[in-house]
Amino acid sequence: MIIAPDQMNNVPFLCSWSGGKDSCYALHMAAAQGLKPVVLLNVLNEYGDRSRSHGIPKEILQAQAKALELPIHFFESTWSDYERLYIENLIALTQRYSLKASVFGDIDIESHRAWEEKVSNAANLNAVLPIWQQPRKKLVLDMITYGIEAIIVSCNHTLGPDFLGRTVDKTLIKDLEALGVDACGENGEYHTLVTNAPLFKKRVKVTITDKEESSNYNFARLELL
């Protein structure tokens, strides 16, 4: 299903919600185009306590949804069951909320877009990528100017644990580029948590209680205040 640009007004959409800057900005840009945000969708790990992609605790994701005054739907999954369960939940939510579109925050990785179009088509939804193919550095600067406030909650070892908790701002972008790291983190160099944004009714307050290290990644242990 393809929705023409002049038919976008008030089209109900689901936002694939990671809790990070890209999905948040995509939601805002879709809303600015006239689409209507109806529900958020997040995939938790198989234990159901934190998001599979960013490692954000469920209660913090719920606090973001509350700040947006939107319902958030969760399902638990291993990586091996991810696609099958994603499609099943997408179909169920499409029926429940009469959805017409699904919004994603990917920027320029073609395989990601192909997957998002595949699962959306399975639910008869129009896959919308509002920030697709925008220059990465400019995109982050636009997010900052727009009012997306975010902190780094996980990162690779090129950045290291000292980057956990840092605010996404112009100083951070300079430091990332000095290390040869993509400003937007589109290749998975780092992930973020949005604490405030124009559509948030209130700021989401969190604290970092600890830092954890895995074989190839660093994670902030987060707690809602």
Side-chain angles (χ1 to χ4, degrees):
M1 177 179 67
I2 299 176
I3 303 174
D6 61 351
Q7 297 176 326
M8 288 289 195
N9 192 47
N10 218 34
V11 167
F13 73 86
L14 168 149
C15 182
S16 177
W17 185 259
S18 69
K21 59 179 176 50
D22 297 346
S23 65
C24 184
Y25 194 48
L27 181 147
H28 281 75
M29 292 300 95
Q33 292 172 17
L35 282 76
K36 180 182 178 182
V38 174
V39 62
L40 309 177
L41 175 61
N42 180 270
V43 185
L44 301 173
N45 61 24
E46 58 266 45
Y47 308 107
D49 61 345
R50 60 186 63 211
S51 62
R52 176 148 290 286
S53 60
H54 287 33
I56 297 172
K58 182 178 181 180
E59 59 268 23
I60 294 178
L61 295 163
Q62 289 172 322
Q64 289 179 317
K66 185 176 181 180
L68 284 165
E69 296 184 340
L70 290 173
I72 184 167
H73 177 81
F74 298 99
F75 71 89
E76 302 166 12
S77 180
T78 61
W79 284 120
S80 59
D81 291 329
Y82 194 98
E83 181 175 302
R84 175 180 62 83
L85 292 175
Y86 200 99
I87 290 173
E88 288 179 5
N89 281 270
L90 211 54
I91 291 172
L93 291 169
T94 297
Q95 295 171 347
R96 180 177 177 182
Y97 291 99
S98 300
L99 301 172
K100 299 297 182 184
S102 49
V103 168
F104 300 90
D106 275 291
I107 302 168
D108 56 23
I109 298 178
E110 290 289 349
S111 61
H112 289 187
R113 178 171 191 144
W115 185 87
E116 290 155 0
E117 291 177 342
K118 176 184 178 181
V119 297
S120 297
N121 287 338
N124 197 31
L125 292 175
N126 186 63
V128 178
L129 286 75
I131 59 176
W132 183 250
Q133 289 190 330
Q134 295 187 30
R136 294 183 182 184
K137 181 178 179 179
K138 180 180 182 299
L139 183 58
V140 183
L141 291 171
D142 287 346
M143 291 181 193
I144 295 167
T145 301
Y146 190 76
I148 303 291
E149 299 177 21
I151 60 171
I152 292 179
V153 294
S154 60
C155 63
N156 64 16
H157 291 318
T158 300
L159 297 180
D162 287 345
F163 274 79
L164 296 175
R166 286 195 55 176
T167 299
V168 178
D169 56 19
K170 293 180 180 179
T171 299
L172 174 72
I173 293 174
K174 290 180 181 178
D175 291 345
L176 293 175
E177 291 184 326
L179 291 170
V181 172
D182 174 56
C184 211
E186 177 71 351
N187 300 307
E189 297 92 338
Y190 71 93
H191 294 301
T192 60
L193 168 75
V194 172
T195 56
N196 203 12
L199 292 179
F200 278 30
K201 301 303 181 183
K202 63 178 181 179
R203 186 183 305 274
V204 175
K205 298 179 180 179
V206 300
T207 185
I208 295 176
T209 60
D210 199 4
K211 297 179 180 180
E212 303 170 352
E213 184 177 339
S214 69
S215 59
N216 62 347
Y217 231 63
N218 302 280
F219 295 90
R221 185 174 288 276
L222 302 168
E223 188 174 289
L224 188 64
L225 294 175

